[in-house]
Amino acid sequence: MPRAKSDKDRKIFVLDTSVILYAHNSIMNFAEHDVVIPITVLEELDQFKKGNDTKNFEAREFIRLLDKLSMDHMIHEWTPLNGKTRGNFKVLMNPDNKLNANVIFGEEKNDHKILNAALYLKEHEKDRKVILVSKDINLRLKAKSLEIHAEDYETGKIKNISELENTGKYILEDVDPAAINKIYDQGYIEAKAVLGTRKRKSNAYYILKSDKNSVLAYFNSDENVLERVDKRLAYNVKPRNAEQTFALHAIMNPAIKLVSIQGVAGTGKTLLALAGALEQRREYKQIFLARPIVPLSNKDIGYLPGDIKSKLNPYMEPLWDNLKFIQNQYKETDKEFQKITELVNQEKLVIQPLAYIRGRSLSNIFFIVDEAQNLTPHEIKTIISRAGENTKIIFTGDVFQIDTPYLDSQSNGLSYLIDRVKDHPLYAHIKLEKGERSELANLANELL
């Protein structure tokens, strides 16, 4: 991108800590414009540099990047980011302002020091537009109350979330009844006979309808055919609607190594994934079922009373509930019931927080990641990049139910995955639409 014609055209972006913890290389993504890092941000990053979570990795990588970029420059001076096509950066020390956010908001805190940095630049760089960039909505609102331009960090953000709604499943009306009969009779049909010149996406699912009959189908891109999809049991769990049937087909299809399942609470995402894993248990060395820990009130679990097991159990309980539901499809004397207990005792089936599994080798593993909407894009990439031979990964979640403060429906890892990997031959995505937990649960979802 060519450099702006004058300093006046170049904006100054002030980065908040939340942006750097989201993406350590964010400083490089502002084209020819200049970037300011308040010293308060560096002080906050210092507190995050120790640990094994993704935010700790991002903090360490940013500090290394800043050290590399600064070289022999003083960091409080404008320093080139990377050649002529990009702007400069500097670290701004705590300035003295006429307007003081600590006084205005009646409390001294780091967020207000970051606002003071933006206020200082706005006062001393009158010819240039100063913009605070933060993933913290509340900080952006405070900035706007001080007449500071404030924006979310947009890089990597899904522009049109509604497009993800149509990924994976298609409904075709007015299909030739003879074509549907052929799919029933021989189990498949040439894709061209039904789809014609329509664009074909790998591992797409279809509901084909005519005025006489209908059929569920799957597009096999290797064979270029539409295959019939039948409802099938997985560890005595039976799909209750077309979307669940598609999801279980993807979970059980050995050619598909990566699956994402989107849906609101009660649609059966985790249940289907776990049932499918148990049905295929002989094909894998272990089944991992994990979820990220998002503490209530954003407090670290260290604040909670008890030992580590008692602290983590409440977060893992929904996963155990799904396992118990599947187990209770059988009598206690049935071998299937006893097999689940045996798998848990022998650690062939492991339910743990994601942080405990992230560093492990993922070869010959069936890996289910629940509540994936609470992961960052980098965390999703890290998990998938660790997959070894004969590993299958299922991500489940609801992109509209975010429990972490710095993610939203457009910037979370699950949305990022669906958008970036769609139409890949190793990947399938299904959106579950109908709640199957109970009539009472459906009442809550639809009317309350």
Side-chain angles (χ1 to χ4, degrees):
M1 184 181 291
R3 196 177 179 88
K5 293 181 180 179
S6 68
D7 283 350
K8 200 172 187 180
D9 296 323
R10 287 164 45 219
K11 302 169 185 175
I12 298 177
F13 290 96
V14 182
L15 300 197
D16 174 32
T17 311
S18 62
V19 176
I20 292 161
L21 293 179
Y22 178 80
H24 71 268
N25 62 344
S26 53
I27 192 174
M28 307 299 294
N29 293 327
F30 291 91
E32 75 274 18
H33 305 290
D34 293 333
V35 178
V36 168
I37 311 294
I39 189 63
T40 306
V41 170
L42 287 187
E43 292 169 351
E44 288 191 324
L45 290 175
D46 191 55
Q47 299 171 21
F48 284 105
K49 67 184 182 185
K50 293 182 181 179
N52 296 319
D53 285 348
T54 301
K55 63 185 177 184
N56 307 123
F57 166 83
E58 299 291 349
R60 289 192 295 267
E61 286 298 298
F62 177 78
I63 292 167
R64 292 187 187 109
L65 177 61
L66 211 62
D67 182 55
K68 180 180 177 182
L69 289 171
S70 61
M71 293 186 293
D72 56 348
H73 292 84
M74 297 295 103
I75 59 172
H76 64 279
E77 299 172 347
W78 287 116
T79 302
L81 276 166
N82 187 19
K84 296 180 180 179
T85 58
R86 287 194 172 96
N88 305 301
F89 81 93
K90 73 174 179 179
V91 173
L92 184 63
M93 304 304 168
N94 290 323
D96 290 326
N97 292 348
K98 294 178 182 176
L99 282 176
N100 187 327
N102 288 316
V103 175
I104 293 170
F105 294 112
E107 184 180 3
E108 186 164 332
K109 55 193 297 187
N110 286 341
D111 278 2
H112 299 161
K113 291 179 182 178
I114 293 169
L115 289 173
N116 279 339
L119 286 168
Y120 175 86
L121 290 166
K122 186 180 175 185
E123 181 183 342
H124 289 82
E125 300 280 356
K126 294 185 184 297
D127 292 335
R128 300 179 65 185
K129 188 172 184 178
V130 177
I131 301 169
L132 175 68
V133 183
S134 175
K135 300 205 69 67
D136 185 338
I137 298 174
N138 195 52
L139 183 59
R140 296 203 302 265
L141 291 173
K142 282 185 173 182
K144 291 174 182 179
S145 74
L146 297 174
E147 297 184 349
I148 299 169
H149 291 282
E151 297 177 359
D152 192 1
Y153 179 67
E154 299 287 341
T155 302
K157 205 166 185 178
I158 309 306
K159 300 302 178 187
N160 189 355
I161 193 70
S162 63
E163 288 184 1
L164 300 185
E165 300 292 289
N166 302 319
T167 302
K169 184 198 79 172
Y170 303 91
I171 301 174
L172 299 185
E173 309 276 357
D174 300 324
V175 176
D176 184 352
I180 293 178
N181 287 333
K182 189 173 182 179
I183 295 175
Y184 272 114
D185 293 340
Q186 67 180 31
Y188 69 92
I189 193 172
E190 290 284 335
K192 187 177 181 181
V194 176
L195 302 180
T197 58
R198 290 183 181 90
K199 185 179 178 182
R200 302 161 196 178
K201 295 187 177 181
S202 295
N203 302 321
Y205 289 90
Y206 291 86
I207 299 176
L208 305 177
K209 296 180 178 181
S210 73
D211 56 354
K212 296 180 181 178
N213 50 10
S214 64
V215 69
L216 304 182
Y218 157 75
F219 175 58
N220 183 332
S221 57
D222 289 338
E223 305 291 335
N224 205 22
V225 297
L226 287 171
E227 299 175 353
R228 187 179 75 236
V229 176
D230 297 320
K231 286 187 178 181
R232 59 180 294 188
L233 287 174
Y235 226 83
N236 217 27
V237 171
K238 185 177 182 180
R240 296 186 179 182
N241 55 53
E243 291 76 23
Q244 285 194 352
T245 304
F246 293 151
L248 192 57
H249 180 276
I251 291 164
M252 301 284 287
N253 188 338
I256 301 173
K257 301 296 185 182
L258 179 63
V259 179
S260 61
I261 305 174
Q262 147 76 12
V264 299
T267 49
K269 307 179 295 294
T270 311
L271 180 67
L272 289 169
L274 184 52
L278 289 168
E279 188 69 22
Q280 301 172 86
R281 64 191 180 279
R282 296 179 185 88
E283 309 298 323
Y284 300 91
K285 182 177 69 177
Q286 278 183 302
I287 298 169
F288 283 164
L289 184 54
R291 59 173 5 199
I293 292 178
V294 184
L296 296 175
S297 304
N298 300 315
K299 286 187 177 180
D300 188 90
I301 62 169
Y303 287 98
L304 300 175
D307 59 20
I308 190 68
K309 186 175 180 180
S310 63
K311 290 176 181 182
L312 295 176
N313 273 345
Y315 300 103
M316 299 301 108
E317 203 62 45
L319 304 183
W320 288 110
D321 288 344
N322 279 285
L323 185 61
K324 290 170 189 171
F325 178 89
I326 294 172
Q327 193 172 32
N328 288 332
Q329 303 300 302
Y330 302 93
K331 297 177 182 178
E332 289 188 25
T333 54
D334 291 344
K335 64 178 182 180
E336 291 87 355
F337 185 101
Q338 295 168 1
K339 187 63 182 178
I340 290 179
T341 302
E342 181 185 320
L343 289 170
V344 173
N345 290 339
Q346 295 180 353
E347 293 192 347
K348 298 289 186 183
L349 191 157
V350 180
I351 296 180
Q352 281 189 342
L354 189 58
Y356 282 56
I357 293 175
R358 186 180 287 120
R360 298 182 64 171
S361 174
L362 298 181
S363 294
N364 203 19
I365 301 292
F366 195 105
F367 193 17
I368 302 168
V369 182
D370 194 33
E371 303 291 349
Q373 77 278 3
N374 289 322
L375 299 173
T376 67
H378 183 270
E379 287 175 310
I380 292 278
K381 180 180 178 180
T382 299
I383 293 166
I384 299 173
S385 65
R386 295 194 65 84
E389 288 297 320
N390 193 37
T391 285
K392 183 158 184 167
I393 305 179
I394 315 292
F395 290 99
T396 70
D398 179 5
V399 298
F400 299 105
Q401 185 62 52
I402 310 294
D403 300 313
T404 56
Y406 302 139
L407 297 177
D408 59 30
S409 62
Q410 293 172 281
S411 64
N412 71 86
L414 184 57
S415 293
Y416 179 83
L417 172 70
I418 298 167
D419 182 65
R420 292 299 179 94
V421 192
K422 60 189 176 186
D423 200 24
H424 193 282
L426 292 180
Y427 170 73
H429 170 72
I430 296 297
K431 182 190 175 190
L432 301 182
E433 299 174 4
K434 186 179 179 184
E436 297 290 357
R437 186 170 284 169
S438 69
E439 291 182 359
L440 188 56
N442 289 343
L443 179 150
N445 284 329
E446 294 169 7
L447 300 178
L448 301 180

